Coordinates of all heavy atoms in Angstrom, one line a residue:
M1 N 86.0 154.2 230.5 CA 86.6 154.2 231.9 C 87.3 155.5 232.1 O 88.1 156.0 231.4 CB 87.7 153.0 231.9 CG 88.6 153.1 233.2 SD 87.8 152.6 234.7 CE 87.6 150.9 234.6
V2 N 86.9 156.2 233.2 CA 87.5 157.4 233.6 C 88.5 157.1 234.7 O 88.1 156.5 235.7 CB 86.4 158.5 234.2 CG1 87.1 159.8 234.4 CG2 85.3 158.5 233.3
K3 N 89.7 157.7 234.5 CA 90.7 157.5 235.6 C 90.8 158.7 236.4 O 91.1 159.8 235.8 CB 92.0 157.1 235.0 CG 93.1 156.8 236.0 CD 94.4 156.3 235.3 CE 95.6 156.4 236.2 NZ 96.8 156.2 235.5
V4 N 90.6 158.6 237.7 CA 90.7 159.8 238.5 C 91.9 159.6 239.5 O 91.8 158.6 240.3 CB 89.4 160.0 239.3 CG1 89.5 161.3 240.1 CG2 88.2 160.0 238.4
Q5 N 92.8 160.5 239.4 CA 93.9 160.4 240.5 C 93.6 161.5 241.5 O 93.5 162.6 241.1 CB 95.3 160.6 239.8 CG 95.6 159.5 238.9 CD 97.0 159.7 238.2 OE1 97.2 160.7 237.5 NE2 98.0 158.9 238.5
I6 N 93.6 161.1 242.7 CA 93.4 162.1 243.8 C 94.5 162.1 244.7 O 95.0 161.0 245.2 CB 92.0 161.9 244.4 CG1 91.8 162.9 245.6 CG2 91.9 160.5 244.9 CD1 90.4 163.1 246.0
C7 N 95.0 163.3 245.0 CA 96.1 163.4 245.9 C 95.6 163.3 247.3 O 94.8 164.1 247.7 CB 96.9 164.7 245.6 SG 98.2 164.9 246.8
V8 N 96.2 162.4 248.0 CA 95.8 162.3 249.5 C 97.0 162.6 250.3 O 97.1 162.1 251.5 CB 95.2 160.9 249.8 CG1 93.9 160.7 249.1 CG2 96.1 159.8 249.4
G9 N 98.0 163.4 249.8 CA 99.1 163.8 250.6 C 98.7 164.8 251.7 O 97.5 165.2 251.7
S10 N 99.6 165.1 252.5 CA 99.2 165.9 253.7 C 98.6 167.3 253.4 O 97.6 167.6 253.9 CB 100.3 166.1 254.7 OG 101.5 166.5 254.0
H11 N 99.2 168.0 252.4 CA 98.6 169.3 252.1 C 97.2 169.2 251.6 O 96.3 169.9 252.0 CB 99.5 170.0 251.1 CG 100.8 170.5 251.6 ND1 101.9 169.7 251.7 CD2 101.1 171.7 252.2 CE1 102.9 170.4 252.2 NE2 102.5 171.6 252.5
C12 N 97.1 168.3 250.6 CA 95.7 168.2 250.0 C 94.7 167.6 251.0 O 93.5 168.1 250.9 CB 95.8 167.3 248.7 SG 96.8 168.1 247.4
S13 N 95.1 166.8 251.8 CA 94.2 166.2 252.8 C 93.7 167.3 253.7 O 92.5 167.3 254.2 CB 94.8 165.1 253.7 OG 95.1 164.0 252.8
L14 N 94.6 168.2 254.1 CA 94.3 169.3 255.0 C 93.1 170.2 254.5 O 92.4 170.7 255.2 CB 95.5 170.2 255.3 CG 96.4 169.9 256.4 CD1 97.5 170.9 256.4 CD2 95.6 169.9 257.7
V15 N 93.1 170.3 253.1 CA 92.1 171.2 252.6 C 91.0 170.5 251.7 O 90.5 171.0 250.8 CB 92.8 172.3 251.7 CG1 93.6 173.2 252.6 CG2 93.7 171.6 250.7
G16 N 90.7 169.3 252.2 CA 89.4 168.7 251.6 C 89.6 167.6 250.7 O 88.5 167.1 250.2
A17 N 90.8 167.1 250.4 CA 90.8 165.9 249.5 C 90.1 164.7 249.9 O 89.5 164.0 249.1 CB 92.4 165.5 249.3
L18 N 90.0 164.5 251.2 CA 89.3 163.3 251.7 C 87.8 163.4 251.5 O 87.2 162.4 251.2 CB 89.7 163.0 253.1 CG 91.2 162.8 253.4 CD1 91.5 162.5 254.8 CD2 91.7 161.7 252.5
N19 N 87.3 164.6 251.5 CA 85.9 164.8 251.2 C 85.6 164.4 249.8 O 84.6 163.8 249.4 CB 85.5 166.3 251.4 CG 85.0 166.6 252.8 OD1 84.7 165.7 253.5 ND2 85.1 167.8 253.2
I20 N 86.5 164.9 248.9 CA 86.4 164.6 247.5 C 86.5 163.1 247.3 O 85.7 162.6 246.5 CB 87.4 165.4 246.6 CG1 87.2 166.9 246.8 CG2 87.3 165.0 245.2 CD1 88.3 167.7 246.2
L21 N 87.4 162.5 247.9 CA 87.6 161.1 247.8 C 86.3 160.3 248.2 O 85.8 159.4 247.5 CB 88.8 160.6 248.6 CG 89.1 159.1 248.6 CD1 89.4 158.6 247.2 CD2 90.3 158.8 249.5
E22 N 85.7 160.7 249.3 CA 84.5 160.1 249.7 C 83.4 160.2 248.7 O 82.7 159.3 248.4 CB 84.1 160.6 251.1 CG 83.0 159.9 251.8 CD 82.6 160.5 253.1 OE1 83.4 161.3 253.7 OE2 81.5 160.2 253.6
T23 N 83.3 161.4 248.2 CA 82.2 161.7 247.2 C 82.5 160.8 246.0 O 81.5 160.2 245.4 CB 82.2 163.2 246.8 OG1 82.1 163.9 247.9 CG2 81.1 163.5 245.8
L24 N 83.7 160.7 245.5 CA 84.0 159.9 244.4 C 83.7 158.4 244.6 O 83.2 157.7 243.7 CB 85.5 160.0 244.0 CG 86.0 161.3 243.3 CD1 87.5 161.4 243.3 CD2 85.4 161.3 241.9
E25 N 84.1 158.0 245.8 CA 83.8 156.5 246.1 C 82.3 156.3 246.1 O 81.8 155.2 245.7 CB 84.5 156.2 247.5 CG 86.0 156.0 247.2 CD 86.7 155.7 248.5 OE1 86.2 156.0 249.6 OE2 87.9 155.2 248.4
N26 N 81.5 157.2 246.6 CA 80.1 157.0 246.5 C 79.6 157.0 245.1 O 78.8 156.2 244.7 CB 79.3 158.2 247.3 CG 79.5 158.1 248.7 OD1 79.7 157.0 249.3 ND2 79.4 159.2 249.5
L27 N 80.1 157.9 244.2 CA 79.8 157.9 242.8 C 80.2 156.6 242.1 O 79.4 156.1 241.3 CB 80.4 159.1 242.1 CG 80.1 159.4 240.7 CD1 78.6 159.8 240.6 CD2 81.0 160.5 240.1
K28 N 81.3 156.1 242.5 CA 81.8 154.8 241.9 C 80.8 153.7 242.2 O 80.8 152.7 241.3 CB 83.2 154.6 242.4 CG 83.8 153.3 241.7 CD 85.3 153.2 242.2 CE 85.8 151.8 241.9 NZ 85.8 151.4 240.5
E29 N 80.2 153.7 243.3 CA 79.2 152.6 243.5 C 78.1 152.6 242.5 O 77.6 151.5 242.1 CB 78.6 152.8 244.9 CG 79.5 152.5 246.1 CD 78.9 152.8 247.4 OE1 77.7 153.0 247.5 OE2 79.7 152.8 248.4
D30 N 77.8 153.7 241.9 CA 76.8 153.7 240.8 C 77.4 153.4 239.4 O 76.7 153.0 238.5 CB 76.2 155.1 240.7 CG 75.3 155.4 241.9 OD1 74.9 154.5 242.6 OD2 75.2 156.6 242.2
Y31 N 78.7 153.6 239.3 CA 79.4 153.3 238.0 C 80.7 152.5 238.2 O 81.8 153.0 237.9 CB 79.7 154.7 237.4 CG 78.6 155.6 237.1 CD1 78.3 156.6 238.0 CD2 77.8 155.5 235.9 CE1 77.2 157.4 237.8 CE2 76.7 156.3 235.7 CZ 76.4 157.3 236.6 OH 75.3 158.1 236.4
P32 N 80.5 151.3 238.8 CA 81.7 150.6 239.2 C 82.6 150.2 238.0 O 83.9 150.1 238.2 CB 81.2 149.3 239.8 CG 79.7 149.2 239.4 CD 79.3 150.6 239.1
E33 N 82.1 150.1 236.8 CA 83.0 149.6 235.7 C 83.5 150.9 235.0 O 84.3 150.7 234.1 CB 82.1 148.8 234.7 CG 81.5 147.6 235.3 CD 82.5 146.6 235.8 OE1 83.5 146.5 235.2 OE2 82.2 146.0 236.8
Q34 N 83.0 152.0 235.3 CA 83.4 153.2 234.5 C 84.3 154.2 235.2 O 84.8 155.1 234.6 CB 82.1 154.0 234.1 CG 81.4 153.2 232.9 CD 80.0 153.6 232.9 OE1 79.2 153.0 233.7 NE2 79.6 154.5 232.1
I35 N 84.5 154.0 236.5 CA 85.3 155.0 237.2 C 86.5 154.2 237.9 O 86.2 153.2 238.6 CB 84.5 155.8 238.2 CG1 83.4 156.6 237.6 CG2 85.4 156.7 239.0 CD1 82.5 157.3 238.5
K36 N 87.7 154.6 237.7 CA 88.8 154.1 238.4 C 89.4 155.1 239.3 O 89.7 156.2 238.8 CB 89.8 153.6 237.4 CG 91.0 153.0 238.1 CD 91.9 152.3 237.0 CE 92.9 151.5 237.8 NZ 94.3 151.8 237.5
I37 N 89.5 154.9 240.6 CA 90.1 155.9 241.5 C 91.5 155.5 241.9 O 91.6 154.3 242.3 CB 89.2 156.0 242.8 CG1 87.7 156.4 242.3 CG2 89.8 157.1 243.7 CD1 86.7 156.4 243.5
E38 N 92.4 156.4 241.8 CA 93.8 156.1 242.2 C 94.2 157.1 243.3 O 94.1 158.3 243.0 CB 94.7 156.1 241.0 CG 96.1 155.5 241.3 CD 96.9 155.6 240.0 OE1 96.3 155.2 238.9 OE2 98.0 156.0 240.1
R39 N 94.6 156.7 244.4 CA 95.1 157.6 245.4 C 96.6 157.9 245.2 O 97.3 156.9 245.0 CB 94.9 157.1 246.8 CG 93.5 156.8 247.2 CD 93.4 155.8 248.4 NE 92.0 155.6 248.8 CZ 91.1 154.9 248.1 NH1 91.5 154.3 247.0 NH2 89.9 154.7 248.5
V40 N 97.0 159.1 245.2 CA 98.4 159.4 244.9 C 98.9 160.2 246.2 O 98.2 161.0 246.8 CB 98.5 160.3 243.7 CG1 100.0 160.7 243.4 CG2 97.9 159.6 242.5
K41 N 100.2 160.0 246.5 CA 100.7 160.6 247.8 C 101.0 162.1 247.6 O 100.8 162.8 248.6 CB 101.9 159.8 248.3 CG 101.5 158.5 248.9 CD 102.6 158.0 249.8 CE 102.1 156.7 250.5 NZ 103.1 155.6 250.4
C42 N 101.5 162.5 246.5 CA 101.7 163.9 246.2 C 102.0 164.1 244.8 O 102.6 163.3 244.1 CB 102.9 164.4 247.0 SG 103.2 166.2 246.8
M43 N 101.3 165.1 244.2 CA 101.5 165.3 242.8 C 102.4 166.5 242.5 O 102.4 167.1 241.5 CB 100.1 165.6 242.1 CG 99.2 164.4 242.1 SD 98.0 164.5 240.8 CE 96.6 163.8 241.7
D44 N 103.2 166.9 243.5 CA 104.2 168.0 243.4 C 103.6 169.3 243.0 O 104.3 170.0 242.2 CB 105.3 167.5 242.4 CG 106.1 166.4 243.0 OD1 106.3 166.4 244.2 OD2 106.6 165.5 242.2
R45 N 102.4 169.5 243.3 CA 101.8 170.8 243.0 C 101.5 171.7 244.3 O 101.0 172.7 244.2 CB 100.4 170.6 242.3 CG 100.6 170.0 240.9 CD 101.3 171.0 240.0 NE 101.2 170.6 238.6 CZ 101.6 169.6 238.0 NH1 102.2 168.6 238.7 NH2 101.5 169.4 236.7
C46 N 101.8 171.1 245.4 CA 101.5 171.8 246.7 C 102.5 172.7 247.2 O 102.4 173.2 248.4 CB 101.1 170.7 247.7 SG 102.4 169.5 248.0
G47 N 103.6 173.0 246.5 CA 104.5 174.0 246.9 C 103.8 175.3 247.2 O 104.1 176.0 248.1
D48 N 102.8 175.6 246.4 CA 101.8 176.7 246.7 C 100.5 176.0 247.2 O 99.9 175.4 246.5 CB 101.6 177.5 245.4 CG 100.7 178.7 245.7 OD1 100.1 178.8 246.8 OD2 100.6 179.5 244.8
I49 N 100.3 176.2 248.5 CA 99.1 175.6 249.1 C 97.8 175.9 248.4 O 96.9 175.2 248.5 CB 99.1 175.9 250.6 CG1 98.1 175.0 251.4 CG2 98.8 177.3 250.9 CD1 98.4 173.6 251.5
K50 N 97.8 177.1 247.7 CA 96.6 177.5 247.0 C 96.2 176.4 245.9 O 95.1 176.4 245.5 CB 96.7 178.8 246.3 CG 96.7 180.0 247.3 CD 96.5 181.3 246.7 CE 97.5 181.7 245.7 NZ 98.8 182.0 246.1
N51 N 97.2 175.7 245.5 CA 96.9 174.7 244.4 C 96.1 173.4 245.0 O 95.5 172.7 244.3 CB 98.1 174.1 243.8 CG 98.7 175.2 242.9 OD1 98.0 176.0 242.3 ND2 100.0 175.1 242.7
A52 N 96.2 173.2 246.3 CA 95.6 172.0 246.9 C 94.1 172.3 247.1 O 93.7 173.4 247.3 CB 96.3 171.7 248.2
P53 N 93.3 171.2 247.1 CA 93.7 169.8 246.7 C 93.8 169.7 245.2 O 93.2 170.4 244.4 CB 92.5 169.0 247.2 CG 91.3 169.9 247.3 CD 91.9 171.3 247.5
V54 N 94.6 168.7 244.8 CA 94.9 168.4 243.4 C 94.3 167.1 243.0 O 94.4 166.1 243.7 CB 96.4 168.4 243.2 CG1 96.8 168.1 241.8 CG2 97.1 169.7 243.7
V55 N 93.6 167.2 241.9 CA 92.9 166.0 241.3 C 93.2 165.9 239.8 O 93.2 167.0 239.2 CB 91.4 166.0 241.6 CG1 90.7 164.8 241.0 CG2 91.1 166.2 243.1
K56 N 93.4 164.8 239.3 CA 93.5 164.6 237.9 C 92.4 163.7 237.3 O 92.3 162.6 237.9 CB 94.9 164.0 237.6 CG 95.4 164.3 236.2 CD 96.9 163.9 236.1 CE 97.4 164.1 234.7 NZ 98.7 163.4 234.6
V57 N 91.7 164.2 236.4 CA 90.6 163.4 235.8 C 91.1 163.1 234.3 O 91.2 164.0 233.5 CB 89.3 164.2 235.7 CG1 88.2 163.4 235.1 CG2 88.9 164.6 237.1
D58 N 91.4 161.9 234.1 CA 92.2 161.5 232.8 C 93.4 162.4 232.8 O 94.2 162.4 233.7 CB 91.3 161.5 231.6 CG 90.2 160.4 231.6 OD1 90.5 159.3 232.2 OD2 89.2 160.5 231.0
D59 N 93.5 163.2 231.7 CA 94.7 164.0 231.5 C 94.5 165.4 232.1 O 95.4 166.3 232.0 CB 95.1 164.1 230.1 CG 95.7 162.8 229.6 OD1 96.2 162.1 230.5 OD2 95.6 162.5 228.4
E60 N 93.4 165.7 232.6 CA 93.1 167.1 233.0 C 93.4 167.3 234.5 O 92.8 166.7 235.4 CB 91.6 167.4 232.8 CG 91.2 168.9 233.0 CD 89.8 169.2 232.6 OE1 89.1 168.4 232.0 OE2 89.5 170.4 232.8
L61 N 94.3 168.2 234.7 CA 94.7 168.5 236.1 C 93.8 169.6 236.7 O 93.7 170.6 236.2 CB 96.2 168.9 236.1 CG 96.8 169.1 237.5 CD1 97.1 167.7 238.1 CD2 98.1 169.9 237.4
L62 N 93.3 169.3 237.9 CA 92.4 170.3 238.6 C 93.2 170.7 239.8 O 93.4 169.9 240.7 CB 91.1 169.7 238.9 CG 90.3 169.1 237.7 CD1 89.0 168.4 238.3 CD2 89.8 170.2 236.8
T63 N 93.4 172.0 239.9 CA 94.0 172.5 241.2 C 92.9 173.3 242.0 O 91.9 173.6 241.4 CB 95.2 173.4 240.9 OG1 94.8 174.4 240.1 CG2 96.4 172.7 240.3
S64 N 93.1 173.4 243.2 CA 92.1 174.0 244.2 C 90.8 173.3 243.9 O 89.7 173.9 243.7 CB 91.9 175.4 243.9 OG 93.1 176.1 244.0
A65 N 90.8 172.0 243.7 CA 89.7 171.2 243.3 C 88.5 171.2 244.3 O 88.7 171.2 245.5 CB 90.1 169.7 243.1
Q66 N 87.4 171.3 243.7 CA 86.2 171.4 244.6 C 85.3 170.2 244.1 O 85.2 169.8 242.9 CB 85.4 172.6 244.4 CG 86.2 173.8 244.9 CD 85.4 175.1 244.8 OE1 84.5 175.2 244.0 NE2 85.8 176.1 245.5
N67 N 84.6 169.6 245.1 CA 83.7 168.5 244.9 C 82.9 168.6 243.6 O 83.0 167.7 242.8 CB 82.8 168.4 246.1 CG 83.1 167.2 246.9 OD1 83.5 166.2 246.4 ND2 82.8 167.3 248.2
Q68 N 82.2 169.7 243.5 CA 81.2 169.8 242.4 C 81.9 169.8 241.0 O 81.5 169.2 240.1 CB 80.4 171.1 242.5 CG 79.3 171.0 243.5 CD 78.4 169.8 243.3 OE1 78.1 169.4 242.1 NE2 78.0 169.1 244.4
V69 N 83.1 170.4 241.0 CA 83.8 170.5 239.7 C 84.4 169.1 239.4 O 84.3 168.7 238.3 CB 85.0 171.5 239.8 CG1 85.8 171.5 238.6 CG2 84.4 172.9 240.1
V70 N 84.9 168.4 240.3 CA 85.5 167.1 240.1 C 84.4 166.2 239.6 O 84.5 165.4 238.6 CB 86.1 166.5 241.3 CG1 86.6 165.1 241.1 CG2 87.3 167.4 241.8
I71 N 83.2 166.2 240.3 CA 82.2 165.2 239.9 C 81.6 165.6 238.6 O 81.4 164.7 237.7 CB 81.0 165.4 241.0 CG1 81.5 164.9 242.3 CG2 79.8 164.6 240.5 CD1 82.1 163.6 242.4
S72 N 81.5 166.9 238.2 CA 81.0 167.2 236.9 C 82.0 166.8 235.8 O 81.6 166.3 234.7 CB 80.5 168.6 236.7 OG 81.5 169.5 236.9
K73 N 83.3 166.9 236.0 CA 84.3 166.5 235.1 C 84.2 165.0 234.9 O 84.4 164.4 233.8 CB 85.7 166.8 235.6 CG 86.0 168.3 235.6 CD 86.2 168.9 234.2 CE 86.5 170.4 234.3 NZ 86.4 171.1 233.0
V74 N 84.0 164.3 236.0 CA 83.9 162.8 235.9 C 82.7 162.4 235.1 O 82.7 161.6 234.2 CB 83.9 162.2 237.3 CG1 83.6 160.6 237.2 CG2 85.3 162.4 237.9
M75 N 81.6 163.0 235.4 CA 80.3 162.7 234.8 C 80.3 163.0 233.3 O 79.7 162.3 232.6 CB 79.1 163.4 235.5 CG 78.8 162.8 236.9 SD 78.6 161.1 236.9 CE 77.2 160.8 236.0
E76 N 81.0 164.1 232.9 CA 81.1 164.4 231.5 C 81.7 163.2 230.7 O 81.3 163.0 229.6 CB 82.1 165.6 231.3 CG 81.5 166.9 231.4 CD 82.6 168.0 231.4 OE1 83.8 167.7 231.0 OE2 82.4 169.1 231.9
R77 N 82.6 162.5 231.4 CA 83.3 161.4 230.7 C 82.5 160.1 230.9 O 82.7 159.2 230.1 CB 84.7 161.3 231.2 CG 85.6 162.4 230.8 CD 86.8 162.5 231.6 NE 87.8 163.4 231.1 CZ 87.9 164.7 231.3 NH1 87.0 165.3 232.1 NH2 88.9 165.4 230.8
V78 N 81.8 159.9 231.9 CA 81.0 158.7 232.1 C 79.8 158.6 231.2 O 79.5 157.5 230.7 CB 80.6 158.6 233.6 CG1 79.4 157.6 233.8 CG2 81.7 158.3 234.5
E79 N 79.2 159.7 230.9 CA 77.9 159.7 230.2 C 78.2 159.7 228.7 O 79.2 160.1 228.2 CB 77.0 160.9 230.6 CG 76.5 160.6 232.0 CD 75.7 161.8 232.6 OE1 76.0 163.0 232.1 OE2 75.0 161.6 233.5
Ligands
FES101 S1 100.1 166.9 248.9 FE1 98.8 167.0 247.2 S2 100.1 167.8 245.6 FE2 101.4 167.6 247.3

């Protein structure tokens, strides 16, 4: 089971968190038992907007997260 925490706070949402969330939810349809998605309101990393969006894959914190990076981190753990 991979736990993905995605920040859906205002800063992160402004810079693409919801796109990442949508991609993750689509991926979860293929791996319903292996991926757990948790929405978080703020991970306190957005004092510098360059850090947003913020995603945590298990214990690994990703700042300035991009879809492809998040998906590949998740898939590394699913497979
Ligand atoms: S809104 Fe995402 S870390 Fe603060």
Side-chain angles (χ1 to χ4, degrees):
M1 169 73 74
V2 187
K3 182 177 168 190
V4 186
Q5 291 181 298
I6 177 159
C7 179
V8 292
S10 52
H11 287 88
C12 292
S13 296
L14 269 177
V15 291
L18 300 181
N19 272 341
I20 298 173
L21 179 60
E22 190 180 343
T23 307
L24 280 169
E25 283 176 341
N26 288 336
L27 186 66
K28 184 176 162 62
E29 287 178 12
D30 293 335
Y31 302 95
E33 304 298 323
Q34 285 154 281
I35 300 174
K36 178 174 191 233
I37 302 171
E38 188 179 320
R39 295 160 182 76
V40 180
K41 284 200 178 131
C42 182
M43 293 202 221
D44 291 327
R45 294 294 196 295
C46 55
D48 184 347
I49 188 70
K50 288 197 298 293
N51 286 334
V54 181
V55 179
K56 202 168 175 192
V57 180
D58 287 333
D59 289 332
E60 188 173 357
L61 187 76
L62 306 171
T63 53
S64 312
Q66 295 182 340
N67 250 327
Q68 283 308 319
V69 175
V70 174
I71 296 309
S72 63
K73 295 284 180 190
V74 172
M75 289 309 294
E76 276 171 16
R77 290 164 166 89
V78 164
E79 288 172 339

